[in-house]
Amino acid sequence: MNSPVEDRLREALAEAGAAIDPSTLRPLRAPERRRLRMDFRLVAVAVAVVLAGVATAAGLGGLEGEDQVVATNPEEADMAVFLCTKSARKEPLCRGRDASLEEVRAVERAVKGLTQVEAVFFVDQASAYDSFRVSFADNKALLDSIKVTDMPMSFRLEIKEGADRREVQQALRGLPGIRSVVDRKAASAEASAERLSEPRLSVFLCGKGSTLPACAAERESRGKDKLSAKRGREATNAQKTAIRKLIEAMPEVHSYVFEDKKAAYENFIRAYNSNKALVEATRVEDMPESFRLVLKPNTDWAETVATLKRQPGVASANYIPCLAVQATLEIDYGLFLRDSKVCPISK
């Protein structure tokens, strides 16, 4: 099953030094469940956090009359199967309700029945919430916005060596009660926490054939249940010049660099040289051009991002530390939150 984390991170393709239009990587796409804010469309701009309180979480094996399984090291589990919560109202598979007891039992049977799975651990809401509060103790705004009932229960899976992780995702695709399935190993952090804490922005420009609305792409219906897509336009030289002048006039910008397709591809290869399938499916022309900004300390990054997003020729603008926090929340806790909830704004 595609995790929502994968699509969003691939679209940003942020801190490995490259980004890819989702439409360019079709050979890598698994059958889609929804947005994937990850089909695996792998992007590792996550920060691995230790799930401090989860070590004592008991397995749901007891529900089936079996001995409980104690998760001695769930933070290193290969995959996470997050269950539905009532607060996930926008999730089409959850429909604004918690996973029922019957659904939890069915998911438990399903994951334990997979031949690719070596071990299964269960993390309840209270344990996940305790861990969450330890991991984000310095982000009061985020802590105040999340209740224990917002935390999804999850099964953590250890996958046998050499097993096909995509087969696991496919087998769980569409099961009632499942909100998302995350391949945590594939999405684990490759960038250090120190690097991700810098006040940096990535401004990606529109590429040829983009599917993003910001690049004038459209989707229009033709007949019942049929859609035809209108591809977006590539950023023009005039638009690039205007964006550059705007950045240079921003007092909050300390410095910036422009990254062309060739430089983006070289950075991408260095970052993902261990992922042969992803590298082979990506070409120089797939890479977007971008401006990489370093902001001065204690600036209002949110306003800067909003301004840049509005510029013609800009596909997306991302505040990197915020993106890293969002990735951590999605990969380790199954939470999908807006920037305004995730990142406090310094002024």
Side-chain angles (χ1 to χ4, degrees):
M1 171 181 292
N2 301 325
S3 116
V5 175
E6 295 174 278
D7 278 340
R8 188 174 79 70
L9 294 183
R10 170 58 66 84
E11 290 169 2
L13 242 186
E15 271 321 288
I20 295 180
D21 188 311
S23 66
T24 66
L25 293 175
R26 288 177 184 146
L28 293 179
R29 293 175 65 96
E32 293 190 11
R33 182 181 65 85
R34 63 175 194 86
R35 167 180 101 150
L36 156 68
R37 277 171 79 163
M38 232 176 336
D39 41 6
F40 248 47
R41 309 204 323 208
L42 317 172
V43 172
V45 70
V47 177
V49 296
V50 177
L51 301 182
V54 183
T56 58
L60 273 179
L63 292 175
E64 297 298 323
E66 303 171 2
D67 293 335
Q68 289 185 329
V69 178
V70 176
T72 57
N73 206 15
E75 70 273 12
E76 295 184 2
D78 300 302
M79 301 187 76
V81 181
F82 294 107
L83 304 181
C84 289
T85 61
K86 187 177 297 184
S87 59
R89 296 180 180 87
K90 294 184 179 180
E91 300 296 322
L93 295 180
C94 294
R95 300 187 298 278
R97 62 178 181 80
D98 295 324
S100 67
L101 180 59
E102 291 74 17
E103 289 171 340
V104 176
R105 286 172 170 169
V107 173
E108 179 195 17
R109 289 192 294 269
V111 295
K112 287 184 175 180
L114 293 172
T115 59
Q116 300 91 340
V117 174
E118 184 75 36
V120 178
F121 307 118
F122 178 71
V123 179
D124 60 29
Q125 287 181 304
S127 296
Y129 186 68
D130 288 345
S131 171
F132 162 76
R133 295 194 65 85
V134 170
S135 296
F136 295 96
D138 59 346
N139 192 335
K140 186 177 185 302
L142 176 60
L143 295 181
D144 290 345
S145 69
I146 300 298
K147 306 183 297 293
V148 65
T149 52
D150 295 326
M151 304 297 295
M153 298 181 290
S154 64
F155 290 97
R156 304 302 174 101
L157 315 181
E158 289 185 7
I159 307 300
K160 294 178 181 178
E161 185 175 355
D164 190 333
R165 297 169 186 269
R166 291 201 181 206
E167 289 182 357
V168 175
Q169 291 179 309
Q170 177 109 13
L172 298 174
R173 180 171 180 255
L175 285 184
I178 292 181
R179 179 180 184 180
S180 65
V181 179
V182 177
D183 189 335
R184 300 180 69 248
K185 289 293 184 181
S188 63
E190 292 188 4
S192 68
E194 180 181 0
R195 185 182 179 203
L196 289 171
S197 67
E198 296 173 0
R200 292 173 298 113
L201 297 180
S202 292
V203 182
F204 297 108
L205 304 183
C206 293
K208 184 178 181 181
S210 173
T211 59
L212 300 176
C215 301
E218 296 179 1
R219 298 192 71 188
E220 51 188 11
S221 61
R222 290 187 179 178
K224 186 177 181 180
D225 300 327
K226 292 184 179 180
L227 292 174
S228 64
K230 177 184 175 182
R231 296 286 178 168
R233 297 186 295 269
E234 187 173 11
T236 65
N237 289 333
Q239 289 172 340
K240 295 176 189 177
T241 299
I243 295 167
R244 185 188 298 272
K245 288 182 178 179
L246 175 63
I247 291 172
E248 290 175 347
M250 288 179 162
E252 63 269 31
V253 175
H254 175 271
S255 61
Y256 77 93
V257 296
F258 177 73
E259 187 175 81
D260 61 19
K261 292 178 183 290
K262 182 179 179 182
Y265 185 74
E266 291 172 352
N267 289 334
F268 179 82
I269 295 301
R270 281 194 295 269
Y272 296 102
N273 58 11
S274 61
N275 192 324
K276 185 177 179 181
L278 183 60
V279 169
E280 289 181 350
T282 307
R283 301 165 297 175
V284 174
E285 54 267 32
D286 295 330
M287 310 306 296
E289 295 178 316
S290 63
F291 288 95
R292 304 306 179 102
L293 286 61
V294 176
L295 302 182
K296 295 175 183 178
N298 301 319
T299 58
D300 186 348
W301 60 265
E303 181 59 31
T304 305
V305 168
T307 299
L308 290 167
K309 280 184 175 181
R310 291 193 294 265
Q311 302 311 304
V314 171
S316 67
N318 302 289
Y319 182 60
I320 302 310
C322 189
L323 187 64
V325 174
Q326 286 173 317
T328 300
L329 289 167
E330 294 177 7
I331 291 168
D332 289 332
Y333 299 103
L335 294 172
F336 311 108
L337 305 176
R338 299 187 304 272
D339 290 5
S340 58
K341 273 195 173 185
V342 171
C343 301
I345 299 174
S346 300
K347 291 188 177 181

